[in-house]
């Protein structure tokens, strides 16, 4: 009889999946940098943060660690803006990254979340069809009809999971979401509570929970944020590159990163 095939370990399966993934999450693509930062990071960390604010800033803006390890820059631009964004997340204020299309709002959001919590997958994609259930919770209607409202019948949203686990939730294109749905965030952001009135309970956010939203005012179909919702966010406006050299540096870095991920032949781009 032929020898029995050896079962693959979880680590081997994860590595194979990572190799064949077209686009990795930030925490997987830059896992080696995050690991080096974690080892070198001796500064105080906010509750449920994987890295200190200093290490998060180093991960985003790049730098050299004491052991000589080079951290590649993820954002090329104002250090002050990134420091404000990180400081916001260390408080109970939600963060709104605002700017015209192409200013790296989603990119910064993903890398901030990867560095702070090690999980950038708690994502709510804002569209004109986004409903309250996508932000709050849904129902397993088979269980709901069979046994009535209960926590077992609740289908958690990324927001509910983030509150339970004390992680950061990302909301892409907040201004694309209808205004009445946007306002379901007000209680979550101000009270750190997600009521479930059908069963007379609520989900309380754990330490480390926060929200990063992105928005722009150039696309058609934009819904303005209410003043009540705006007050729950600290807004950081991301500008376009200051110079042609800065823009070339950004394009050069992104082309090199994409070429590596797609396994394209190595060739110096014609700048």
């Amino acid at each position: 009889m032929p020898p029995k095939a050896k079962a693959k370990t979880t680590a081997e399966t994860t590595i194979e999946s990572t190799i064949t993934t077209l686009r990795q999450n930030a925490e997987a693509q830059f896992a080696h940098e995050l690991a080096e930062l974690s080892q070198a990071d001796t500064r105080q960390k906010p509750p449920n943060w994987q890295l200190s604010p200093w290490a998060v800033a180093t991960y985003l803006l790049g730098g050299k660690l004491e052991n000589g390890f080079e951290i590649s820059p993820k954002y090329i631009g104002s250090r002050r803006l990134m420091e404000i964004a990180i400081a916001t997340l260390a408080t109970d204020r939600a963060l709104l990254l605002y700017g015209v299309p192409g200013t790296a709002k989603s990119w910064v959001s993903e890398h901030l979340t990867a560095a702070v919590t090690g999980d950038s997958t708690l994502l709510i994609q804002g569209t004109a069809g986004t409903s309250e259930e996508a932000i709050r919770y849904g129902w397993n209607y088979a269980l709901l009809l069979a046994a009535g409202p209960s926590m077992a019948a609740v289908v958690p949203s990324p927001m509910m999971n983030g509150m339970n686990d004390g992680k950061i939730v990302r909301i892409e294109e907040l201004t694309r979401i209808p205004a009445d749905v946007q306002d379901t965030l007000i209680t979550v952001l101000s009270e750190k509570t997600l009521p479930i009135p059908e069963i007379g309970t609520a989900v309380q956010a754990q330490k480390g929970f926060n929200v990063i939203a992105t928005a722009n005012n150039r696309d058609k179909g934009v819904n303005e944020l209410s003043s009540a919702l705006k007050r729950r966010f600290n807004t950081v406006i991301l500008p376009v590159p200051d110079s042609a050299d800065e823009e070339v540096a950004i394009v050069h870095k992104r082309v090199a990163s994409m070429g590596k991920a797609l396994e394209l032949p190595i060739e110096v781009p014609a700048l």
Side-chain angles (χ1 to χ4, degrees), residues 179-209:
D180 56 334
V181 178
Q182 290 176 8
D183 287 343
T184 60
L185 288 168
I186 292 176
T187 301
V188 172
L189 298 182
S190 59
E191 306 296 332
K192 310 304 179 189
T193 300
L194 180 57
I196 310 178
E198 293 88 347
I199 54 179
T201 188
V203 173
Q204 301 289 334
Q206 301 300 304
K207 289 184 177 180
F209 166 75

Side-chain angles (χ1 to χ4, degrees), residues 117-197:
T117 67
D119 183 4
S120 62
T121 62
L122 296 174
L123 173 65
I124 298 171
Q125 179 60 57
T127 69
T130 300
S131 63
E132 287 190 18
E133 288 78 10
I135 295 177
R136 300 175 71 234
Y137 54 86
W139 292 99
N140 182 324
Y141 287 102
L143 287 176
L144 185 64
L145 293 173
S150 67
M151 281 304 297
V154 171
V155 177
S157 66
M159 186 69 68
M160 182 180 286
N161 287 332
M163 295 176 75
N164 279 324
D165 298 338
K167 293 185 176 181
I168 293 176
V169 179
R170 299 164 54 209
I171 303 178
E172 288 290 308
E173 303 292 351
L174 178 60
T175 50
R176 308 268 314 166
I177 299 174
D180 56 334
V181 178
Q182 290 176 8
D183 287 343
T184 60
L185 288 168
I186 292 176
T187 301
V188 172
L189 298 182
S190 59
E191 306 296 332
K192 310 304 179 189
T193 300
L194 180 57
I196 310 178

Side-chain angles (χ1 to χ4, degrees), residues 10-11 16 22 25 28 40 60 72-73 112 114 152 161 223 230 237 247 262 264 269-270:
T10 303
E16 286 188 4
L22 184 60
N25 295 326
L60 277 172
S72 63
L112 270 174
N161 287 332
N223 301 293
K230 283 181 181 178
I237 299 176
E247 189 167 356
L262 296 173
L264 299 176

Side-chain angles (χ1 to χ4, degrees), residues 190-264:
S190 59
E191 306 296 332
K192 310 304 179 189
T193 300
L194 180 57
I196 310 178
E198 293 88 347
I199 54 179
T201 188
V203 173
Q204 301 289 334
Q206 301 300 304
K207 289 184 177 180
F209 166 75
N210 215 326
V211 173
I212 302 178
T214 65
N216 72 74
N217 60 353
R218 289 291 183 88
D219 290 343
K220 294 181 179 179
V222 166
N223 301 293
E224 290 294 328
L225 303 181
S226 67
S227 59
L229 186 55
K230 283 181 181 178
R231 290 196 301 270
R232 269 70 180 182
F233 283 101
N234 189 29
T235 302
V236 173
I237 299 176
L238 298 184
V240 296
D242 288 334
S243 65
D245 290 341
E246 188 172 286
E247 189 167 356
V248 167
I250 294 170
V251 173
H252 183 272
K253 178 173 176 56
R254 290 292 292 133
V255 167
S257 176
M258 292 171 64
K260 183 178 179 181
L262 296 173
E263 299 182 11
L264 299 176

